[in-house]
Amino acid sequence: MPKAPATSSTQQDDTYDVLRQWVTVGKFLPGQRLKIRDVAAELGVGVMPVRAALLRLAAEGALTHSPNCGVAVPKLSRAEFDDVLQNRLLLEGEAAERGTLRLSAEDKRALQALVHTMGEALMRVDAKAYLDANEAFHVRLYRAAGSPLLMALIETVWLKVGPLSNQLFEEAAAPAVLNDAHEDLMRALETGDAGAARRAIERDLFVAGQFLRRRCTA
């Protein structure tokens, strides 16, 4: 029997990067079982790089893996969610404060445009458009802090709550308030008030967190 073609390390890494992003932005829901062949078909790659990527994500705690149940998206308890949120407040608050002092004029214009995009998405109750713009907003602000290690820690924590993110819009009251803290942050950027920017990000995380917490197991 001929051997299956070897999977290149580049293809494995690319597959991992895509699946990691999918987990982060909530493409998969808590409790969802991930079938390797289905994921491979959606990506247009073989099962080997998908299996390797899913096991790598499981080793990082982003997914769960057991011989009987395969790979699945974990469900967070409220206690686990509270722990994640506390760490997000620390890490993302620090990144926002540092980033505020280093943002260029172009960065600020891009952030303002993203706030506008989020506002329009909320009016349409378009979860995907909002979440995509929201991620781009936070990434741009945090990367301006100039700390790759801090950004890596933030992205690792995001893996824990990404699967919950699409459930944010199941809370009817959420769209009316989700952009308030972003607008506060833009006002802080105009005056260069790094402390106010930190408080705005902390408020953003806390408000969204209260909606998401209800979706966790008791």
Side-chain angles (χ1 to χ4, degrees):
M1 181 180 294
K3 292 183 179 180
T7 301
S8 70
S9 58
T10 300
Q11 187 181 48
Q12 288 187 2
D13 289 341
D14 290 346
T15 301
Y16 166 79
D17 289 341
V18 171
L19 290 178
R20 195 177 198 273
Q21 176 70 5
W22 283 3
V23 173
T24 299
V25 300
K27 181 177 176 65
F28 306 123
L29 297 176
Q32 181 178 348
R33 182 181 174 187
L34 303 182
K35 297 180 179 180
I36 293 176
R37 292 190 181 278
D38 290 347
V39 175
E42 187 169 1
L43 284 171
V45 299
V47 297
M48 292 302 292
V50 171
R51 179 180 289 109
L54 292 178
L55 291 177
R56 186 173 167 186
L57 288 166
E60 294 176 355
L63 302 172
T64 61
H65 175 259
S66 68
N68 296 327
C69 299
V71 179
V73 182
K75 293 181 179 180
L76 287 181
S77 69
R78 288 178 182 172
E80 290 170 330
F81 180 82
D82 290 343
D83 186 34
V84 171
L85 180 58
Q86 286 301 315
N87 281 282
R88 289 191 69 189
L89 291 170
L90 290 171
L91 294 169
E92 296 182 48
E94 180 68 16
E97 188 166 356
R98 292 192 202 180
T100 298
L101 301 175
R102 296 167 59 96
L103 286 168
S104 66
E106 181 183 352
D107 287 328
K108 292 177 183 178
R109 287 192 295 270
L111 290 173
Q112 184 61 67
L114 288 166
V115 170
H116 179 71
T117 298
M118 284 187 279
E120 290 188 330
L122 290 170
M123 290 179 64
R124 301 192 307 270
V125 195
D126 185 336
K128 185 180 186 306
Y130 172 81
L131 292 171
D132 287 347
N134 182 66
E135 182 192 14
F137 180 91
H138 286 261
V139 167
R140 185 146 197 159
L141 174 62
Y142 300 162
R143 283 185 176 164
S147 173
L149 176 57
L150 181 56
M151 193 67 219
L153 291 171
I154 290 171
E155 290 175 339
T156 298
V157 175
W158 281 352
L159 284 172
K160 300 288 187 180
V161 294
L164 278 172
S165 60
N166 274 329
Q167 296 180 305
L168 187 59
F169 280 68
E170 294 179 20
E171 297 287 336
V177 298
L178 287 178
N179 220 22
D180 292 352
H182 298 137
E183 293 170 351
D184 288 345
L185 187 137
M186 294 309 302
R187 285 190 284 271
L189 296 185
E190 290 174 6
T191 60
D193 190 337
R198 181 176 197 139
R199 290 190 295 274
I201 284 296
E202 289 173 343
R203 178 189 172 197
D204 179 38
L205 299 178
F206 181 81
V207 169
Q210 300 318 295
F211 293 120
L212 294 176
R213 190 176 188 273
R214 299 172 191 169
R215 300 289 161 178
C216 298
T217 58

